[in-house]
Amino acid sequence: MIKTNARNELIDITFGVAAEIEKTDVKDGICTVFCPHTTGAITINENADPDVMSDIIMKMNKMIPHREGYSHMEGNSDAHIKSSLFGNSKQIIVKNGKLQLGTWQGIYFCEFDGPRNRNVWVSVTG
Amino acid sequence: MIKTNARNELIDITFGVAAEIEKTDVKDGICTVFCPHTTGAITINENADPDVMSDIIMKMNKMIPHREGYSHMEGNSDAHIKSSLFGNSKQIIVKNGKLQLGTWQGIYFCEFDGPRNRNVWVSVTG
Amino acid sequence: MIKTNARNELIDITFGVAAEIEKTDVKDGICTVFCPHTTGAITINENADPDVMSDIIMKMNKMIPHREGYSHMEGNSDAHIKSSLFGNSKQIIVKNGKLQLGTWQGIYFCEFDGPRNRNVWVSVTG
């Protein structure tokens, strides 16, 4: 379970995903990281400078403002649109039980309608 | 085969995908839903209020208008761009022969250059 | 290894991915094409008219300009944002050792901060 702290937030979940892989017997295969929420997403991006995360959030809010004449009464259509654009799952190659990520890559849970309590599902197939 | 009815349309294909899984012997694995068209896509988003779908379409048309000085003579570059942004395939975890989706999630075929007859390919690996 | 030639470029890597599949013993399964860079991506789109690629690049540069008050000192936040929107991996169904792509589909490496030397990782699970 992930507790998000803001309406828009990108949270590094790389270590949590790696821990799930270690619980399985699969050494070589594909790891699927799946967000079961329709106002969240999963992305893979830079894990070094936190400014990259704040720039992503800033630009997405500019492109897709919170209010813009949407019909959906819940008032979070912007979050649903961002969810579809970022995608609700990502796949990572697993070798010898280890996630194969580039040097600067981390796996992020994307919150677009927080703060909320969120879940992420991890599955590894060999 | 899916028959789309408008230039832009999001069509819930969740039941069709679930039916394909039941035809296989795979109980636990990953389901890949793949759009073989370059002006369509697959997305996972809210299955409750249809206003979410119309808001997604409205905003995407505002961000990426049909005509905007594109070179491609066929006149549907906007649809190709939307296809790359939404992504032409999605992956869903399968457990005990059942798609694992969040409470409010449905799987949608995204038509960006209809109306047309479209295909969706479903594969399950265990 | 892929050598890109411009800041923004979409390079058809379909033949290289197909060659990687032929090296494996997997006949039926899923191929994952993974970009280990945070300013690149993988997309599947039209392989016929190169104008589609230049239209995609033109529109993305208009929507997400190179400079727009970003904080990230490296000056390439636009590339990180495009990477998350296009997605850093794609999945393709494999049957009888062959990639299952639609008639007009090719697999593209997306360069958003080139020119650089880039890698693409390919994995096939059955």
Side-chain angles (χ1 to χ4, degrees):
Chain A
M1 208 268 290
I2 300 165
K3 200 174 162 42
T4 62
N5 307 293
R7 181 144 201 273
N8 289 274
E9 189 177 11
L10 300 185
I11 298 180
D12 191 334
I13 59 171
T14 312
F15 291 122
V17 174
E20 290 298 317
I21 293 171
E22 282 175 23
K23 289 181 195 167
T24 74
D25 289 334
V26 182
K27 291 297 166 205
D28 299 289
I30 296 291
C31 171
T32 295
V33 183
F34 189 95
C35 166
H37 311 285
T38 56
T39 54
I42 307 293
T43 199
I44 293 177
N45 216 306
E46 168 159 339
N47 63 3
D49 178 3
D51 280 348
V52 172
M53 296 303 122
S54 57
D55 282 347
I56 291 174
I57 290 170
M58 180 271 285
K59 176 61 183 176
M60 292 308 298
N61 287 346
K62 203 187 282 188
M63 282 172 64
I64 303 168
H66 189 175
R67 313 283 181 195
E68 202 182 349
Y70 296 117
S71 301
H72 183 45
M73 292 289 286
E74 234 184 308
N76 60 358
S77 281
D78 62 316
H80 288 288
I81 295 164
K82 292 174 181 174
S83 175
S84 275
L85 292 178
F86 279 68
N88 81 307
S89 84
K90 287 292 170 290
Q91 280 66 39
I92 305 106
I93 299 168
V94 174
K95 275 192 189 167
N96 291 319
K98 302 286 178 198
L99 286 172
Q100 302 296 300
L101 289 167
T103 313
W104 306 105
Q105 285 182 322
I107 307 167
Y108 287 83
F109 179 83
C110 309
E111 173 64 83
F112 297 128
D113 194 33
R116 298 197 192 201
N117 293 329
R118 300 294 204 173
N119 293 302
V120 172
W121 298 343
V122 178
S123 171
V124 195
T125 51
Chain B
M1 208 267 290
I2 299 165
K3 200 173 162 44
T4 63
N5 308 292
R7 180 144 202 273
N8 288 274
E9 189 177 13
L10 302 185
I11 297 179
D12 192 335
I13 58 171
T14 311
F15 291 121
V17 174
E20 290 298 317
I21 293 172
E22 282 174 22
K23 289 182 196 166
T24 74
D25 290 334
V26 181
K27 290 297 165 204
D28 299 289
I30 295 290
C31 171
T32 295
V33 183
F34 189 95
C35 166
H37 311 286
T38 56
T39 53
I42 307 293
T43 198
I44 293 177
N45 216 307
E46 169 159 337
N47 61 3
D49 179 3
D51 281 348
V52 172
M53 295 303 122
S54 57
D55 282 347
I56 292 175
I57 289 170
M58 179 270 286
K59 176 61 182 175
M60 291 309 297
N61 287 346
K62 202 187 285 187
M63 282 171 64
I64 303 168
H66 189 175
R67 312 282 180 196
E68 203 182 349
Y70 296 117
S71 302
H72 183 45
M73 293 288 287
E74 233 184 309
N76 59 359
S77 280
D78 63 317
H80 288 288
I81 294 163
K82 291 173 182 175
S83 175
S84 274
L85 292 178
F86 278 68
N88 81 307
S89 84
K90 287 292 170 290
Q91 280 67 38
I92 306 105
I93 299 169
V94 175
K95 275 191 188 166
N96 291 320
K98 302 283 177 200
L99 286 172
Q100 301 297 299
L101 290 167
T103 313
W104 307 106
Q105 286 182 324
I107 308 168
Y108 288 84
F109 179 83
C110 309
E111 174 63 81
F112 297 129
D113 193 33
R116 297 196 192 203
N117 292 330
R118 300 295 206 171
N119 293 302
V120 171
W121 299 343
V122 177
S123 171
V124 194
T125 52
Chain C
M1 207 268 290
I2 299 165
K3 199 171 161 45
T4 63
N5 307 293
R7 181 144 202 273
N8 288 275
E9 189 177 12
L10 301 186
I11 297 180
D12 191 334
I13 59 171
T14 312
F15 290 122
V17 174
E20 290 297 317
I21 293 172
E22 283 175 22
K23 290 183 195 166
T24 74
D25 290 333
V26 182
K27 292 295 165 205
D28 298 289
I30 296 290
C31 171
T32 294
V33 183
F34 188 95
C35 165
H37 311 285
T38 57
T39 53
I42 307 292
T43 199
I44 293 176
N45 216 308
E46 168 159 339
N47 62 3
D49 179 3
D51 280 348
V52 172
M53 296 303 122
S54 57
D55 282 347
I56 292 174
I57 290 170
M58 180 271 285
K59 176 61 182 175
M60 292 308 298
N61 287 346
K62 203 187 282 188
M63 282 172 63
I64 304 169
H66 189 175
R67 313 283 182 195
E68 202 182 349
Y70 295 118
S71 302
H72 183 44
M73 293 288 287
E74 232 183 309
N76 59 358
S77 281
D78 63 316
H80 288 288
I81 294 163
K82 292 174 181 175
S83 174
S84 274
L85 292 178
F86 279 68
N88 80 307
S89 85
K90 287 292 169 290
Q91 280 68 38
I92 306 106
I93 299 169
V94 175
K95 275 191 188 168
N96 291 320
K98 303 284 179 201
L99 286 171
Q100 301 297 298
L101 289 167
T103 313
W104 307 105
Q105 286 182 322
I107 308 168
Y108 288 83
F109 180 82
C110 310
E111 174 63 82
F112 297 128
D113 194 33
R116 297 196 193 204
N117 293 329
R118 300 295 205 172
N119 293 301
V120 171
W121 298 343
V122 177
S123 170
V124 195
T125 52

PDB file of all heavy atoms in Angstrom, chain C residues 31-61:
ATOM      1  N   CYS C  31       7.211 -10.753 -26.927  1.00  0.00           N
ATOM      2  CA  CYS C  31       8.489 -10.061 -27.051  1.00  0.00           C
ATOM      3  C   CYS C  31       8.375  -8.697 -26.373  1.00  0.00           C
ATOM      4  O   CYS C  31       7.441  -7.939 -26.657  1.00  0.00           O
ATOM      5  CB  CYS C  31       8.814  -9.875 -28.534  1.00  0.00           C
ATOM      6  SG  CYS C  31      10.224  -8.809 -28.836  1.00  0.00           S
ATOM      7  N   THR C  32       9.310  -8.415 -25.466  1.00  0.00           N
ATOM      8  CA  THR C  32       9.362  -7.104 -24.820  1.00  0.00           C
ATOM      9  C   THR C  32      10.549  -6.330 -25.385  1.00  0.00           C
ATOM     10  O   THR C  32      11.675  -6.834 -25.377  1.00  0.00           O
ATOM     11  CB  THR C  32       9.533  -7.252 -23.296  1.00  0.00           C
ATOM     12  OG1 THR C  32       8.352  -7.872 -22.766  1.00  0.00           O
ATOM     13  CG2 THR C  32       9.709  -5.904 -22.616  1.00  0.00           C
ATOM     14  N   VAL C  33      10.283  -5.132 -25.893  1.00  0.00           N
ATOM     15  CA  VAL C  33      11.330  -4.252 -26.416  1.00  0.00           C
ATOM     16  C   VAL C  33      11.454  -3.103 -25.425  1.00  0.00           C
ATOM     17  O   VAL C  33      10.492  -2.357 -25.213  1.00  0.00           O
ATOM     18  CB  VAL C  33      10.965  -3.723 -27.816  1.00  0.00           C
ATOM     19  CG1 VAL C  33      12.089  -2.867 -28.380  1.00  0.00           C
ATOM     20  CG2 VAL C  33      10.639  -4.881 -28.757  1.00  0.00           C
ATOM     21  N   PHE C  34      12.628  -2.980 -24.795  1.00  0.00           N
ATOM     22  CA  PHE C  34      12.789  -2.096 -23.641  1.00  0.00           C
ATOM     23  C   PHE C  34      13.898  -1.076 -23.903  1.00  0.00           C
ATOM     24  O   PHE C  34      15.027  -1.441 -24.246  1.00  0.00           O
ATOM     25  CB  PHE C  34      13.139  -2.966 -22.422  1.00  0.00           C
ATOM     26  CG  PHE C  34      13.149  -2.237 -21.098  1.00  0.00           C
ATOM     27  CD1 PHE C  34      12.021  -2.242 -20.289  1.00  0.00           C
ATOM     28  CD2 PHE C  34      14.275  -1.570 -20.652  1.00  0.00           C
ATOM     29  CE1 PHE C  34      12.024  -1.589 -19.059  1.00  0.00           C
ATOM     30  CE2 PHE C  34      14.291  -0.904 -19.428  1.00  0.00           C
ATOM     31  CZ  PHE C  34      13.157  -0.917 -18.620  1.00  0.00           C
ATOM     32  N   CYS C  35      13.593   0.201 -23.680  1.00  0.00           N
ATOM     33  CA  CYS C  35      14.574   1.280 -23.806  1.00  0.00           C
ATOM     34  C   CYS C  35      15.121   1.610 -22.419  1.00  0.00           C
ATOM     35  O   CYS C  35      14.366   2.051 -21.549  1.00  0.00           O
ATOM     36  CB  CYS C  35      13.901   2.513 -24.404  1.00  0.00           C
ATOM     37  SG  CYS C  35      14.861   4.024 -24.225  1.00  0.00           S
ATOM     38  N   PRO C  36      16.426   1.399 -22.181  1.00  0.00           N
ATOM     39  CA  PRO C  36      16.986   1.643 -20.843  1.00  0.00           C
ATOM     40  C   PRO C  36      17.386   3.104 -20.597  1.00  0.00           C
ATOM     41  O   PRO C  36      18.066   3.389 -19.618  1.00  0.00           O
ATOM     42  CB  PRO C  36      18.218   0.719 -20.822  1.00  0.00           C
ATOM     43  CG  PRO C  36      18.657   0.636 -22.240  1.00  0.00           C
ATOM     44  CD  PRO C  36      17.413   0.802 -23.103  1.00  0.00           C
ATOM     45  N   HIS C  37      16.970   4.005 -21.481  1.00  0.00           N
ATOM     46  CA  HIS C  37      17.324   5.422 -21.376  1.00  0.00           C
ATOM     47  C   HIS C  37      16.097   6.242 -20.978  1.00  0.00           C
ATOM     48  O   HIS C  37      14.985   5.925 -21.400  1.00  0.00           O
ATOM     49  CB  HIS C  37      17.857   5.933 -22.716  1.00  0.00           C
ATOM     50  CG  HIS C  37      18.913   5.058 -23.304  1.00  0.00           C
ATOM     51  ND1 HIS C  37      20.197   5.021 -22.824  1.00  0.00           N
ATOM     52  CD2 HIS C  37      18.871   4.159 -24.329  1.00  0.00           C
ATOM     53  CE1 HIS C  37      20.902   4.147 -23.542  1.00  0.00           C
ATOM     54  NE2 HIS C  37      20.120   3.611 -24.453  1.00  0.00           N
ATOM     55  N   THR C  38      16.305   7.305 -20.202  1.00  0.00           N
ATOM     56  CA  THR C  38      15.171   8.081 -19.683  1.00  0.00           C
ATOM     57  C   THR C  38      14.802   9.269 -20.582  1.00  0.00           C
ATOM     58  O   THR C  38      13.895  10.034 -20.251  1.00  0.00           O
ATOM     59  CB  THR C  38      15.451   8.581 -18.248  1.00  0.00           C
ATOM     60  OG1 THR C  38      16.659   9.341 -18.278  1.00  0.00           O
ATOM     61  CG2 THR C  38      15.603   7.420 -17.298  1.00  0.00           C
ATOM     62  N   THR C  39      15.499   9.425 -21.701  1.00  0.00           N
ATOM     63  CA  THR C  39      15.126  10.462 -22.676  1.00  0.00           C
ATOM     64  C   THR C  39      14.888   9.828 -24.060  1.00  0.00           C
ATOM     65  O   THR C  39      15.001  10.496 -25.083  1.00  0.00           O
ATOM     66  CB  THR C  39      16.205  11.575 -22.771  1.00  0.00           C
ATOM     67  OG1 THR C  39      17.483  10.956 -23.014  1.00  0.00           O
ATOM     68  CG2 THR C  39      16.271  12.371 -21.483  1.00  0.00           C
ATOM     69  N   GLY C  40      14.572   8.540 -24.045  1.00  0.00           N
ATOM     70  CA  GLY C  40      14.176   7.807 -25.244  1.00  0.00           C
ATOM     71  C   GLY C  40      12.914   7.021 -24.943  1.00  0.00           C
ATOM     72  O   GLY C  40      12.419   7.042 -23.814  1.00  0.00           O
ATOM     73  N   ALA C  41      12.384   6.336 -25.936  1.00  0.00           N
ATOM     74  CA  ALA C  41      11.173   5.539 -25.751  1.00  0.00           C
ATOM     75  C   ALA C  41      11.064   4.537 -26.900  1.00  0.00           C
ATOM     76  O   ALA C  41      11.904   4.536 -27.815  1.00  0.00           O
ATOM     77  CB  ALA C  41       9.935   6.434 -25.721  1.00  0.00           C
ATOM     78  N   ILE C  42      10.058   3.674 -26.806  1.00  0.00           N
ATOM     79  CA  ILE C  42       9.752   2.736 -27.883  1.00  0.00           C
ATOM     80  C   ILE C  42       8.303   2.985 -28.293  1.00  0.00           C
ATOM     81  O   ILE C  42       7.419   3.106 -27.438  1.00  0.00           O
ATOM     82  CB  ILE C  42       9.898   1.264 -27.419  1.00  0.00           C
ATOM     83  CG1 ILE C  42      11.273   1.001 -26.787  1.00  0.00           C
ATOM     84  CG2 ILE C  42       9.635   0.296 -28.584  1.00  0.00           C
ATOM     85  CD1 ILE C  42      12.458   1.069 -27.718  1.00  0.00           C
ATOM     86  N   THR C  43       8.034   3.060 -29.597  1.00  0.00           N
ATOM     87  CA  THR C  43       6.651   3.160 -30.036  1.00  0.00           C
ATOM     88  C   THR C  43       6.425   2.256 -31.248  1.00  0.00           C
ATOM     89  O   THR C  43       7.377   1.836 -31.908  1.00  0.00           O
ATOM     90  CB  THR C  43       6.228   4.618 -30.352  1.00  0.00           C
ATOM     91  OG1 THR C  43       4.797   4.697 -30.346  1.00  0.00           O
ATOM     92  CG2 THR C  43       6.729   5.091 -31.718  1.00  0.00           C
ATOM     93  N   ILE C  44       5.164   1.952 -31.496  1.00  0.00           N
ATOM     94  CA  ILE C  44       4.773   1.176 -32.674  1.00  0.00           C
ATOM     95  C   ILE C  44       3.854   2.068 -33.493  1.00  0.00           C
ATOM     96  O   ILE C  44       2.845   2.568 -32.974  1.00  0.00           O
ATOM     97  CB  ILE C  44       4.075  -0.138 -32.258  1.00  0.00           C
ATOM     98  CG1 ILE C  44       5.090  -1.058 -31.565  1.00  0.00           C
ATOM     99  CG2 ILE C  44       3.454  -0.832 -33.466  1.00  0.00           C
ATOM    100  CD1 ILE C  44       4.517  -2.358 -31.025  1.00  0.00           C
ATOM    101  N   ASN C  45       4.224   2.320 -34.759  1.00  0.00           N
ATOM    102  CA  ASN C  45       3.398   3.193 -35.585  1.00  0.00           C
ATOM    103  C   ASN C  45       3.666   2.906 -37.063  1.00  0.00           C
ATOM    104  O   ASN C  45       4.358   1.933 -37.367  1.00  0.00           O
ATOM    105  CB  ASN C  45       3.637   4.668 -35.229  1.00  0.00           C
ATOM    106  CG  ASN C  45       2.365   5.506 -35.322  1.00  0.00           C
ATOM    107  OD1 ASN C  45       1.675   5.497 -36.339  1.00  0.00           O
ATOM    108  ND2 ASN C  45       2.024   6.200 -34.245  1.00  0.00           N
ATOM    109  N   GLU C  46       3.125   3.748 -37.937  1.00  0.00           N
ATOM    110  CA  GLU C  46       3.150   3.473 -39.381  1.00  0.00           C
ATOM    111  C   GLU C  46       4.560   3.382 -39.961  1.00  0.00           C
ATOM    112  O   GLU C  46       5.417   4.233 -39.713  1.00  0.00           O
ATOM    113  CB  GLU C  46       2.366   4.579 -40.119  1.00  0.00           C
ATOM    114  CG  GLU C  46       2.607   4.512 -41.615  1.00  0.00           C
ATOM    115  CD  GLU C  46       1.537   5.190 -42.451  1.00  0.00           C
ATOM    116  OE1 GLU C  46       0.421   5.372 -41.961  1.00  0.00           O
ATOM    117  OE2 GLU C  46       1.843   5.531 -43.602  1.00  0.00           O
ATOM    118  N   ASN C  47       4.763   2.340 -40.787  1.00  0.00           N
ATOM    119  CA  ASN C  47       6.077   2.106 -41.399  1.00  0.00           C
ATOM    120  C   ASN C  47       6.104   2.444 -42.893  1.00  0.00           C
ATOM    121  O   ASN C  47       7.066   2.100 -43.582  1.00  0.00           O
ATOM    122  CB  ASN C  47       6.494   0.646 -41.202  1.00  0.00           C
ATOM    123  CG  ASN C  47       5.516  -0.306 -41.885  1.00  0.00           C
ATOM    124  OD1 ASN C  47       4.579   0.132 -42.544  1.00  0.00           O
ATOM    125  ND2 ASN C  47       5.727  -1.593 -41.720  1.00  0.00           N
ATOM    126  N   ALA C  48       5.066   3.119 -43.379  1.00  0.00           N
ATOM    127  CA  ALA C  48       4.980   3.352 -44.832  1.00  0.00           C
ATOM    128  C   ALA C  48       5.436   4.770 -45.208  1.00  0.00           C
ATOM    129  O   ALA C  48       6.438   4.945 -45.896  1.00  0.00           O
ATOM    130  CB  ALA C  48       3.555   3.095 -45.316  1.00  0.00           C
ATOM    131  N   ASP C  49       4.734   5.781 -44.740  1.00  0.00           N
ATOM    132  CA  ASP C  49       5.028   7.156 -45.137  1.00  0.00           C
ATOM    133  C   ASP C  49       5.875   7.845 -44.065  1.00  0.00           C
ATOM    134  O   ASP C  49       5.406   8.074 -42.951  1.00  0.00           O
ATOM    135  CB  ASP C  49       3.702   7.921 -45.321  1.00  0.00           C
ATOM    136  CG  ASP C  49       3.930   9.379 -45.702  1.00  0.00           C
ATOM    137  OD1 ASP C  49       5.097   9.781 -45.872  1.00  0.00           O
ATOM    138  OD2 ASP C  49       2.931  10.115 -45.815  1.00  0.00           O
ATOM    139  N   PRO C  50       7.119   8.199 -44.378  1.00  0.00           N
ATOM    140  CA  PRO C  50       7.986   8.857 -43.369  1.00  0.00           C
ATOM    141  C   PRO C  50       7.421  10.188 -42.872  1.00  0.00           C
ATOM    142  O   PRO C  50       7.846  10.677 -41.819  1.00  0.00           O
ATOM    143  CB  PRO C  50       9.318   9.045 -44.103  1.00  0.00           C
ATOM    144  CG  PRO C  50       9.058   8.756 -45.538  1.00  0.00           C
ATOM    145  CD  PRO C  50       7.810   7.943 -45.645  1.00  0.00           C
ATOM    146  N   ASP C  51       6.455  10.773 -43.601  1.00  0.00           N
ATOM    147  CA  ASP C  51       5.821  12.003 -43.129  1.00  0.00           C
ATOM    148  C   ASP C  51       5.113  11.795 -41.791  1.00  0.00           C
ATOM    149  O   ASP C  51       4.964  12.744 -41.011  1.00  0.00           O
ATOM    150  CB  ASP C  51       4.792  12.511 -44.152  1.00  0.00           C
ATOM    151  CG  ASP C  51       5.454  13.263 -45.309  1.00  0.00           C
ATOM    152  OD1 ASP C  51       6.655  13.579 -45.212  1.00  0.00           O
ATOM    153  OD2 ASP C  51       4.755  13.521 -46.314  1.00  0.00           O
ATOM    154  N   VAL C  52       4.645  10.574 -41.523  1.00  0.00           N
ATOM    155  CA  VAL C  52       4.001  10.327 -40.234  1.00  0.00           C
ATOM    156  C   VAL C  52       5.002  10.561 -39.111  1.00  0.00           C
ATOM    157  O   VAL C  52       4.696  11.202 -38.096  1.00  0.00           O
ATOM    158  CB  VAL C  52       3.406   8.898 -40.170  1.00  0.00           C
ATOM    159  CG1 VAL C  52       2.914   8.586 -38.761  1.00  0.00           C
ATOM    160  CG2 VAL C  52       2.265   8.745 -41.176  1.00  0.00           C
ATOM    161  N   MET C  53       6.225  10.066 -39.283  1.00  0.00           N
ATOM    162  CA  MET C  53       7.256  10.258 -38.258  1.00  0.00           C
ATOM    163  C   MET C  53       7.582  11.737 -38.062  1.00  0.00           C
ATOM    164  O   MET C  53       7.676  12.213 -36.941  1.00  0.00           O
ATOM    165  CB  MET C  53       8.535   9.489 -38.651  1.00  0.00           C
ATOM    166  CG  MET C  53       8.364   7.991 -38.712  1.00  0.00           C
ATOM    167  SD  MET C  53       7.760   7.277 -37.137  1.00  0.00           S
ATOM    168  CE  MET C  53       6.254   6.462 -37.687  1.00  0.00           C
ATOM    169  N   SER C  54       7.722  12.488 -39.175  1.00  0.00           N
ATOM    170  CA  SER C  54       8.065  13.908 -39.031  1.00  0.00           C
ATOM    171  C   SER C  54       6.886  14.695 -38.446  1.00  0.00           C
ATOM    172  O   SER C  54       7.088  15.653 -37.692  1.00  0.00           O
ATOM    173  CB  SER C  54       8.544  14.501 -40.363  1.00  0.00           C
ATOM    174  OG  SER C  54       7.566  14.344 -41.362  1.00  0.00           O
ATOM    175  N   ASP C  55       5.645  14.280 -38.750  1.00  0.00           N
ATOM    176  CA  ASP C  55       4.482  14.935 -38.142  1.00  0.00           C
ATOM    177  C   ASP C  55       4.431  14.682 -36.630  1.00  0.00           C
ATOM    178  O   ASP C  55       4.105  15.582 -35.853  1.00  0.00           O
ATOM    179  CB  ASP C  55       3.183  14.428 -38.789  1.00  0.00           C
ATOM    180  CG  ASP C  55       2.918  15.054 -40.161  1.00  0.00           C
ATOM    181  OD1 ASP C  55       3.589  16.050 -40.508  1.00  0.00           O
ATOM    182  OD2 ASP C  55       2.044  14.544 -40.886  1.00  0.00           O
ATOM    183  N   ILE C  56       4.735  13.451 -36.215  1.00  0.00           N
ATOM    184  CA  ILE C  56       4.749  13.133 -34.783  1.00  0.00           C
ATOM    185  C   ILE C  56       5.779  14.008 -34.069  1.00  0.00           C
ATOM    186  O   ILE C  56       5.496  14.636 -33.039  1.00  0.00           O
ATOM    187  CB  ILE C  56       5.060  11.629 -34.549  1.00  0.00           C
ATOM    188  CG1 ILE C  56       3.900  10.746 -35.035  1.00  0.00           C
ATOM    189  CG2 ILE C  56       5.364  11.357 -33.071  1.00  0.00           C
ATOM    190  CD1 ILE C  56       4.179   9.237 -34.963  1.00  0.00           C
ATOM    191  N   ILE C  57       6.987  14.103 -34.649  1.00  0.00           N
ATOM    192  CA  ILE C  57       8.058  14.899 -34.029  1.00  0.00           C
ATOM    193  C   ILE C  57       7.671  16.376 -33.984  1.00  0.00           C
ATOM    194  O   ILE C  57       7.829  17.043 -32.956  1.00  0.00           O
ATOM    195  CB  ILE C  57       9.375  14.693 -34.809  1.00  0.00           C
ATOM    196  CG1 ILE C  57       9.903  13.267 -34.562  1.00  0.00           C
ATOM    197  CG2 ILE C  57      10.422  15.741 -34.410  1.00  0.00           C
ATOM    198  CD1 ILE C  57      11.070  12.875 -35.457  1.00  0.00           C
ATOM    199  N   MET C  58       7.123  16.896 -35.087  1.00  0.00           N
ATOM    200  CA  MET C  58       6.740  18.306 -35.175  1.00  0.00           C
ATOM    201  C   MET C  58       5.699  18.648 -34.108  1.00  0.00           C
ATOM    202  O   MET C  58       5.841  19.611 -33.358  1.00  0.00           O
ATOM    203  CB  MET C  58       6.188  18.578 -36.588  1.00  0.00           C
ATOM    204  CG  MET C  58       5.736  20.003 -36.859  1.00  0.00           C
ATOM    205  SD  MET C  58       3.962  20.303 -36.437  1.00  0.00           S
ATOM    206  CE  MET C  58       3.115  19.497 -37.812  1.00  0.00           C
ATOM    207  N   LYS C  59       4.656  17.813 -34.005  1.00  0.00           N
ATOM    208  CA  LYS C  59       3.578  18.104 -33.059  1.00  0.00           C
ATOM    209  C   LYS C  59       4.064  17.973 -31.607  1.00  0.00           C
ATOM    210  O   LYS C  59       3.695  18.788 -30.745  1.00  0.00           O
ATOM    211  CB  LYS C  59       2.408  17.145 -33.318  1.00  0.00           C
ATOM    212  CG  LYS C  59       1.259  17.287 -32.331  1.00  0.00           C
ATOM    213  CD  LYS C  59       0.624  18.667 -32.364  1.00  0.00           C
ATOM    214  CE  LYS C  59      -0.495  18.792 -31.344  1.00  0.00           C
ATOM    215  NZ  LYS C  59      -1.031  20.170 -31.301  1.00  0.00           N
ATOM    216  N   MET C  60       4.883  16.951 -31.321  1.00  0.00           N
ATOM    217  CA  MET C  60       5.372  16.793 -29.948  1.00  0.00           C
ATOM    218  C   MET C  60       6.249  17.987 -29.542  1.00  0.00           C
ATOM    219  O   MET C  60       6.184  18.449 -28.402  1.00  0.00           O
ATOM    220  CB  MET C  60       6.145  15.474 -29.807  1.00  0.00           C
ATOM    221  CG  MET C  60       5.281  14.230 -29.922  1.00  0.00           C
ATOM    222  SD  MET C  60       3.800  14.187 -28.837  1.00  0.00           S
ATOM    223  CE  MET C  60       4.566  14.228 -27.216  1.00  0.00           C
ATOM    224  N   ASN C  61       7.051  18.509 -30.483  1.00  0.00           N
ATOM    225  CA  ASN C  61       7.878  19.686 -30.167  1.00  0.00           C
ATOM    226  C   ASN C  61       7.028  20.928 -29.926  1.00  0.00           C
ATOM    227  O   ASN C  61       7.402  21.801 -29.142  1.00  0.00           O
ATOM    228  CB  ASN C  61       8.878  19.950 -31.304  1.00  0.00           C
ATOM    229  CG  ASN C  61       9.996  18.935 -31.319  1.00  0.00           C
ATOM    230  OD1 ASN C  61      10.186  18.191 -30.350  1.00  0.00           O
ATOM    231  ND2 ASN C  61      10.750  18.891 -32.412  1.00  0.00           N
TER     232      ASN C  61
END
